[in-house]
């Protein structure tokens, strides 16, 4: 699929926003209807991120219990000089995610890429973040791409910009939201996007105690619960569903055997819900599976990278090994 449209300029830095034409404009509806028809009802986690969902996720990132964001940030601060040496000058920096984080700012400020391209499905968040970065770094050439990075994609080519190396930045341990098989397929696609010599800088959440992980996904203030339930609110609003939110509850737990968090919305009653003329029945205690978040031991992730033809050049971690940032070269 090729990018379809370019637009937009901000007063200071120039921002171009490209959109990949969605061949299935009713993708959300189809995915919800198909997912709720499965024996284990499920909705893909990419649909969390409407405007409210993106705000709630930002709030999660600041929670005491949610250690990944602050830990990854501390690691980036610590490793940035080494990382900059490893990446070298004249890079084209592609970020999978909106680019709203402080980590991105640290990276851009230090490596000064020739070109920066955030790729995100959430257009509002992408526009805001790209505009903010262009204002903060007026020298920066910013081209945002509205696309689902979990799908195969072709990036626009830019001529006349000095680029020695393409770098893909994928922070936040979002790779954990794929199954290991999907993660491998994703890494292989990233390898294709980078080409030999390109580098992937990726944040990975590590395996740790169930107590710490359970709390990170079921916080005391209920922000994660609100984030999860917002998915039903979005289905009601955008697809004309009639979920009663008070009849569902957030459920999240770490499955130590599988090495992953599972997030569900549990029906508290026997009930049915209608969406687009279809009826879905729920037994009491039945759940909609909304997210997995896989955790990797450092050696496990190194092996996954190796299977996708990446050579791990550096692994940066915090003293408690709660989180890891990998720099992996496509070979
Ligand atoms: C985006 N992703 C890496 C988050 C995670 O930790 O899996 C999403 C999230 N879900 C609940 N809390 C945070």
């Amino acid at each position: 699929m090729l990018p379809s449209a370019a637009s937009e300029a901000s007063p200071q830095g120039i921002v171009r926003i490209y959109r990949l034409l969605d061949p299935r404009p009713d993708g959300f509806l189809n995915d919800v209807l198909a997912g709720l028809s499965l024996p284990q009802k499920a909705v893909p986690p990419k649909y969390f991120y409407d405007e409210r969902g993106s705000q709630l996720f930002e709030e999660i990132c600041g929670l005491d219990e949610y250690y990944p964001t602050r830990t990854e940030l501390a690691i980036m601060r610590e490793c940035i000089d080494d990382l900059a040496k490893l990446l070298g000058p004249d890079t084209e920096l592609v970020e999978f995610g909106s680019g709203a984080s402080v980590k991105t700012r640290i990276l851009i400020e230090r490596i000064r890429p020739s070109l920066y391209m955030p790729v995100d499905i959430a257009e509002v968040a992408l526009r805001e973040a790209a505009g903010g970065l262009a204002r903060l770094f007026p020298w920066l050439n910013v081209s945002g791409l509205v696309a689902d990075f979990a799908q195969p994609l072709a990036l626009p080519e830019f001529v006349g910009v000095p680029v020695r190396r393409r770098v893909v930045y994928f922070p936040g341990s979002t790779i954990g939201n794929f199954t290991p098989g999907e993660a491998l397929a994703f890494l292989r696609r990233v390898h294709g996007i980078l080409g030999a010599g390109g580098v992937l800088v990726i944040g990975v959440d590590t395996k740790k105690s169930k107590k710490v992980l359970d709390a990170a996904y079921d916080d005391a203030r209920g922000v994660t619960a609100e984030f999860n339930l917002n998915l039903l609110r979005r289905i009601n609003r955008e697809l004309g569903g009639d979920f009663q939110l008070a009849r569902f509850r957030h459920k999240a737990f770490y499955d130590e055997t599988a090495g992953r968090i599972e997030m569900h919305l549990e029906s508290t009653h026997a009930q049915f819900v209608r969406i687009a003329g279809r009826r879905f029945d729920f037994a009491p205690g039945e759940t909609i599976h909304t997210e997995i978040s896989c955790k990797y031991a450092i050696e496990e992730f190194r092996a996954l990278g190796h299977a996708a033809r990446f050579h791990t050049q550096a692994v940066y971690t915090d003293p408690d090994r709660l989180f890891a940032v990998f720099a992996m070269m496509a070979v």
Side-chain angles (χ1 to χ4, degrees):
M1 214 183 338
L2 287 169
S4 66
S7 59
E8 209 118 326
S10 77
Q12 281 97 351
I14 301 293
V15 179
R16 274 176 219 292
I17 301 290
Y18 295 82
R19 245 177 255 108
L20 287 185
L21 276 180
D22 186 354
R24 299 180 315 144
D26 51 359
F28 183 27
L29 179 63
N30 289 342
D31 285 351
V32 168
L33 295 181
L36 294 183
S37 306
L38 295 170
Q40 166 62 72
K41 294 179 171 66
V43 175
K46 66 182 176 185
Y47 296 116
F48 279 136
Y49 302 94
D50 63 356
E51 204 175 339
R52 176 82 182 123
S54 300
Q55 281 166 1
L56 284 164
F57 180 62
E58 283 303 304
E59 227 178 293
I60 288 173
C61 291
L63 291 171
D64 285 350
E65 297 96 327
Y66 195 75
Y67 60 87
T69 311
R70 63 174 177 277
T71 310
E72 186 178 21
L73 176 59
I75 295 171
M76 284 301 280
R77 287 206 161 107
E78 199 56 37
C79 77
I80 191 64
D81 287 340
D82 194 68
L83 190 57
K85 260 188 237 146
L86 192 146
L87 299 177
D90 300 333
T91 52
E92 177 184 350
L93 179 63
V94 177
E95 176 166 0
F96 288 152
S98 72
S101 73
V102 184
K103 293 162 282 193
T104 304
R105 274 183 256 155
I106 291 173
L107 188 61
I108 291 174
E109 193 168 25
R110 186 66 182 76
I111 72 168
R112 294 183 75 93
S114 309
L115 203 76
Y116 170 66
M117 182 181 295
V119 182
D120 202 301
I121 198 167
E123 183 164 351
V124 176
L126 180 77
R127 279 177 186 277
E128 274 173 19
L133 287 171
R135 279 187 292 278
L136 192 62
F137 304 115
W139 49 266
L140 184 64
N141 190 339
V142 184
S143 291
L145 184 63
V146 182
D148 179 3
F149 56 70
Q151 302 298 322
L153 50 91
L155 301 183
E157 294 284 334
F158 294 93
V159 284
V161 182
V163 172
R164 286 196 219 183
R165 164 173 289 154
R166 198 173 248 184
V167 174
V168 166
Y169 185 42
F170 192 33
S173 70
T174 306
I175 186 95
N177 298 133
F178 300 139
T179 64
E182 288 165 350
L184 179 59
F186 171 81
L187 290 176
R188 289 190 169 134
R189 286 200 301 275
V190 173
H191 189 288
I193 287 172
L194 284 168
V199 177
L200 170 64
V201 179
I202 183 165
V204 179
D205 197 9
T206 56
K207 286 186 166 149
K208 58 188 64 65
S209 83
K210 179 167 167 61
K211 192 165 166 247
V212 170
L213 283 164
D214 282 347
Y217 289 82
D218 195 6
D219 63 280
R221 276 180 44 216
V223 183
T224 312
E226 194 50 36
F227 172 74
N228 200 5
L229 284 159
N230 184 59
L231 187 58
L232 302 184
R233 201 173 275 128
R234 181 175 185 189
I235 293 172
N236 285 350
R237 190 184 61 245
E238 294 185 25
L239 307 179
D242 63 358
F243 279 105
Q244 292 184 48
L245 270 63
R247 293 178 160 235
F248 287 86
R249 72 172 192 96
H250 167 70
K251 192 173 163 189
F253 57 90
Y254 183 56
D255 176 340
E256 283 179 291
T257 313
R260 68 185 204 183
I261 290 281
E262 281 193 19
M263 230 159 70
H264 295 255
L265 288 162
E266 184 180 76
S267 171
T268 54
H269 299 73
Q271 57 181 320
F272 64 86
V273 171
R274 283 191 194 280
I275 303 165
R278 293 262 304 269
R279 171 180 160 153
F280 298 97
D281 287 82
F282 289 85
E286 189 177 354
T287 69
I288 306 173
H289 189 188
T290 51
E291 188 175 63
I292 57 165
S293 196
C294 296
K295 309 302 169 190
Y296 291 94
I298 286 174
E299 287 316 313
E300 275 174 343
F301 198 78
R302 191 196 298 267
L304 195 69
H306 188 74
R309 291 193 296 131
F310 280 98
H311 167 69
T312 297
Q313 294 179 290
V315 185
Y316 306 104
T317 186
D318 55 294
D320 298 321
R321 297 195 140 214
L322 291 176
F323 200 93
V325 175
F326 281 71
M328 303 173 131
M329 184 182 278
V331 289

